[in-house]
Amino acid sequence: DYELCEEWGHLYPVPREDLINLRREHLLHLLEMGDMEKALQLLQRIEDPGICLAISEQCLDQHPNLAASHFLADYLTAHFYTSLTTARLNEIQALYIGSKVLLTLPELSRVNYFHLSSRPLLMLEQLLVNMKVDWVAVAVQTLHQLLAGQEIGFTVEDINNLLSKYAEKALKFPFTLKEKRS
């Protein structure tokens, strides 16, 4: 139905705003269905880069599922790197990295951390608090690979400081040993 509406828009005058809404809804539908190939083809058919950017950002802001968020963040950074403000670019890159870290977690546990996908450092801290040490090891390795040469608001040094902080807390004992009296 979306494709039929798109063809209709080529044949008859349809307000631009309606075409933008149609394409946004079509893109969200394709992403929810997991059809990234058709989603990419849809984005490539949009001739006006400004409209393509707006549609992609609007879809990302609606917080679609993990795979869709990852796809959109990757698409936006790859195609609109120079068109985005530094703050927005950092936000999108953080979401990309956070979604990549989420994909390293066991599938059934991803839902528990999805709300932190745009804040990878906080996700890492939550994993540490929840004592998911094995998951933290994989997440840290992934973060180190992804952060090589990128600036997204935090660095490898921030990750190391966070790990040091929690390692120090793990070694503190909350009680003192009592001496035995004879």
Side-chain angles (χ1 to χ4, degrees):
D1 290 345
Y2 288 113
E3 290 170 3
L4 178 63
C5 290
E6 191 175 330
E7 286 179 31
W8 185 271
H10 291 297
L11 298 174
Y12 297 98
V14 176
R16 181 178 176 186
E17 194 61 38
D18 290 342
L19 283 175
I20 291 172
N21 291 335
L22 169 72
R23 287 183 174 140
R24 183 184 64 242
E25 293 304 317
H26 188 191
L27 181 60
L28 283 171
H29 172 74
L30 291 171
L31 292 172
E32 286 174 15
M33 299 300 291
D35 197 344
M36 305 307 174
E37 185 68 31
K38 282 190 177 180
L40 183 59
Q41 290 171 3
L42 172 65
L43 289 168
Q44 290 172 342
R45 282 196 311 266
I46 300 172
E47 296 166 3
D48 185 342
I51 291 175
C52 188
L53 172 62
I55 290 171
S56 301
E57 281 192 289
Q58 289 171 13
C59 288
L60 186 64
D61 290 340
Q62 289 188 12
H63 305 290
N65 63 37
L66 177 60
S69 295
H70 187 72
F71 171 83
L72 288 167
D74 185 38
Y75 183 81
L76 283 165
T77 53
H79 293 87
F80 298 104
Y81 188 86
T82 56
S83 303
L84 298 165
T85 64
T86 304
R88 182 67 171 159
L89 185 61
N90 286 347
E91 180 184 318
I92 291 170
Q93 286 178 322
L95 179 64
Y96 175 79
I97 288 174
S99 62
K100 195 77 163 173
V101 169
L102 266 177
L103 290 170
T104 67
L105 301 180
E107 192 171 339
L108 295 175
S109 301
R110 292 175 188 164
V111 70
N112 298 330
Y113 300 96
F114 180 73
H115 66 285
L116 299 172
S117 59
S118 62
R119 303 187 60 201
L121 261 185
L122 191 56
M123 184 188 317
L124 185 62
E125 187 168 5
Q126 189 66 49
L127 289 169
L128 286 167
V129 168
N130 291 341
M131 307 279 287
K132 304 294 185 186
V133 180
D134 294 339
W135 299 357
V136 169
V138 175
V140 167
Q141 184 180 14
T142 302
L143 285 170
H144 279 261
Q145 291 170 356
L146 293 171
L147 287 176
Q150 286 195 34
E151 277 193 37
I152 61 162
F154 67 94
T155 62
V156 172
E157 186 66 31
D158 294 325
I159 295 169
N160 292 339
N161 289 339
L162 182 68
L163 293 173
S164 297
K165 175 183 160 185
Y166 278 91
E168 182 182 320
K169 286 184 179 196
L171 296 175
K172 287 186 180 177
F173 295 101
F175 57 89
T176 57
L177 298 172
K178 295 183 180 179
E179 292 182 27
K180 288 186 177 180
R181 296 182 189 184
S182 58

